[in-house]
């Protein structure tokens, strides 16, 4: 439990700080006055005012905020709009979009640099053979006695040589698998029950194993390519997931909230520093992507207001912004409560 709490604090602290620092730096670069810079949500743990900005560290590590003068944000403070030249609403379209998207850009940049660093240190991961690298606790494989390091050579009488062969044969199996593995140069037979998991609109059979991963040395070019591929494929996967949610193919049960992320933080920390740092990169991309969605309260919602104002050539009334922000806050809180409940149910069930 302590590992989970500490690892979640590190993941949340790093990603939130980087995201909000992006907004903060962009605001200062464009000449906007920053009223508050907070990591976490109240109650406040520590507060110090330096110049015109109040810096805070708060107890609830579920986000943060940079309050910019002249901007109607989640603080719901309409009194901050006075028309001074250093306020958000007095800047041009490109400056506003730059400030609002800077947090997302920092999240992606952080993930990009993390994966480059990991690749240079560890190498490029490659999955070649049918050797088991991970046996998930509590799943059929572990309960049947399979171990990390076992090499699967037959599944239901069919010879397998690669991990793709293993996945294909297990996914197409019925309730029971007959495996032949090589352990300490001896062939051993196992009978392993399968279990069904559902992802989106597809259901497949699994037994709870992961492949052995080898790493080949990588140069800077390999590292950059690997990192770019990671950011791209992760984003494409998130786009597909959101698409499934919109079209009804997905469900809220597939979402993870703070509780789920905390559990995954602890799991990755127990796997070692490399897995934990890589998890930070994955969450950083995920948070960046979600924040750019055109939803009230999120960065994408604020950008949508800026675009609307540019099209209609006049400001959206402050009262309208406040109503939309309030609706967004309520919807977001409800969503967090729902996915957190699902996280707890999922953890208890497993």
């Amino acid at each position: 439990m302590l590992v989970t709490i500490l690892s979640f604090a590190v993941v949340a602290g790093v990603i939130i700080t980087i995201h909000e620092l992006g907004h903060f730096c962009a605001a200062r670069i464009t000449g906007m006055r920053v009223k508050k810079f907070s990591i976490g949500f109240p109650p406040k743990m520590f507060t110090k005012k330096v110049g015109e900005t109040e810096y805070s560290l708060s107890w609830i590590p579920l986000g943060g905020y940079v309050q910019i003068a002249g901007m109607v944000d989640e603080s719901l403070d309409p009194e901050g709009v006075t028309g001074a030249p250093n306020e958000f609403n007095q800047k041009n379209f490109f400056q506003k979009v730059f400030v609002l998207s800077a947090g997302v850009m920092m999240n992606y940049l952080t993930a990009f640099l993390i994966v480059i660093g990991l690749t240079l240190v560890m190498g490029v991961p490659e999955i070649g053979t049918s050797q088991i690298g991970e046996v998930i606790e509590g799943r059929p494989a572990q309960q049947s006695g399979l171990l990390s390091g076992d090499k699967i050579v037959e599944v239901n009488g069919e010879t397998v040589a690669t991990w793709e062969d293993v996945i294909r044969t297990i996914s197409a199996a019925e309730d029971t698998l007959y495996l032949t593995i090589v352990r300490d140069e001896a062939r051993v037979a196992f009978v392993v029950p399968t279990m069904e998991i559902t992802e989106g609109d597809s259901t497949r059979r699994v037994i709870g194993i992961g492949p052995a991963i080898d790493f080949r040395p990588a140069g800077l070019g390999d590292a950059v390519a690997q990192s770019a591929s990671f950011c791209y494929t992760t984003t494409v996967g998130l786009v597909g997931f959101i698409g499934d949610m919109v079209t009804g193919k997905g469900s809220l049960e597939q979402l993870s909230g703070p509780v789920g992320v905390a559990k995954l933080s602890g799991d990755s920390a127990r796997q070692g520093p490399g897995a934990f740092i890589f998890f930070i990169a994955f969450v950083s991309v995920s948070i960046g992507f979600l924040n750019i969605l055109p939803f009230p309260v999120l960065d994408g919602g604020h950008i949508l207001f800026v675009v609307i104002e540019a099209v209609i050539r006049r400001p959206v009334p402050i009262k309208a912004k406040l109503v939309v922000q309030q609706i967004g806050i309520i919807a977001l809180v409800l969503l967090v409560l729902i996915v957190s409940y699902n996280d707890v149910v999922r953890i208890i069930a497993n």
Side-chain angles (χ1 to χ4, degrees):
M1 179 62 74
L2 181 60
V3 171
T4 296
I5 294 173
L6 292 177
S7 58
F8 176 66
V10 171
V11 171
V14 168
I15 292 173
I16 293 168
T17 301
I18 287 170
H19 182 93
E20 300 305 335
L21 193 60
H23 290 308
F24 177 82
C25 292
R28 298 299 294 269
I29 289 171
T30 53
M32 298 182 191
R33 180 167 62 90
V34 178
K35 298 166 67 176
K36 294 181 180 180
F37 179 95
S38 177
I39 303 302
F41 292 121
K44 295 176 181 178
M45 182 191 318
F46 167 82
T47 299
K48 183 175 180 62
K49 188 165 186 177
V50 179
E52 297 178 314
T53 306
E54 178 187 280
Y55 299 87
S56 300
L57 181 64
S58 300
W59 284 104
I60 302 176
L62 299 180
Y65 60 92
V66 172
Q67 188 178 2
I68 301 172
M71 179 179 173
V72 179
D73 57 12
E74 51 270 24
S75 66
L76 303 177
D77 178 20
E79 304 301 324
V81 182
T82 66
N86 61 359
E87 291 183 355
F88 177 86
N89 61 323
Q90 297 302 305
K91 303 300 179 178
N92 64 45
F93 173 83
F94 297 102
Q95 290 172 319
K96 292 176 181 177
V97 172
F98 171 58
V99 171
L100 292 172
S101 60
V104 172
M105 289 189 287
M106 283 292 285
N107 283 134
Y108 270 85
L109 178 61
T110 299
F112 185 72
L113 294 177
I114 284 176
V115 177
I116 286 178
L118 283 176
T119 304
L120 289 174
V121 172
M122 302 177 65
V124 176
E126 293 183 332
I127 301 171
T129 69
S130 56
Q131 186 174 21
I132 299 173
E134 178 188 16
V135 179
I136 301 174
E137 186 176 353
R139 294 290 178 87
Q142 188 259 344
Q143 294 167 347
S144 299
L146 291 175
L147 302 174
S148 175
D150 291 345
K151 184 175 182 180
I152 302 173
V153 292
E154 287 185 2
V155 179
N156 289 344
E158 180 179 344
T159 300
V160 295
T162 67
W163 196 255
E164 287 76 10
D165 293 337
V166 173
I167 294 298
R168 175 178 51 79
T169 51
I170 292 178
S171 298
E174 300 297 331
D175 295 337
T176 304
L177 284 176
Y178 298 92
L179 301 181
T180 301
I181 64 101
V182 173
R183 179 186 296 173
D184 298 329
E185 300 183 358
R187 293 170 71 94
V188 184
F190 284 88
V191 178
V192 183
T194 64
M195 61 181 291
E196 283 188 346
I197 63 169
T198 300
E199 296 176 340
D201 57 351
S202 63
T203 300
R204 60 189 179 90
R205 295 275 177 175
V206 300
I207 60 174
I209 56 175
I213 300 175
D214 295 321
F215 294 87
R216 64 172 174 81
L220 182 59
D222 286 333
V224 170
Q226 187 75 14
S227 185
S229 175
F230 163 76
C231 291
Y232 173 77
T233 54
T234 303
T235 301
V236 169
L238 290 167
V239 169
F241 176 76
I242 295 298
D244 287 343
M245 295 292 292
V246 171
T247 59
K249 295 181 180 178
S251 71
L252 289 179
E253 293 182 358
Q254 296 172 263
L255 284 173
S256 285
V259 176
V261 173
K263 181 183 183 301
L264 292 173
S265 298
D267 292 344
S268 63
R270 293 181 187 93
Q271 293 173 24
F276 181 62
I277 295 172
F278 184 80
F279 180 72
I280 292 176
F282 174 77
V283 176
S284 191
V285 170
S286 302
I287 292 297
F289 174 80
L290 292 175
N291 263 283
I292 207 64
L293 294 177
F295 186 84
V297 182
L298 301 180
D299 297 335
H302 292 301
I303 291 175
L304 182 59
F305 271 125
V306 172
V307 172
I308 291 172
E309 290 176 339
V311 171
I312 65 176
R313 296 177 179 271
R314 66 177 184 275
V316 174
I318 291 178
K319 286 186 178 180
K321 287 184 178 180
L322 287 172
V323 170
V324 172
Q325 290 290 89
Q326 288 170 335
I327 293 173
I329 290 172
I330 293 170
L332 196 59
V333 169
L334 287 175
L335 179 62
V336 170
L337 291 174
I338 291 170
V339 297
S340 296
Y341 171 78
N342 290 337
D343 285 338
V344 172
V345 170
R346 192 159 44 237
I347 291 170
I348 293 174
N350 291 332

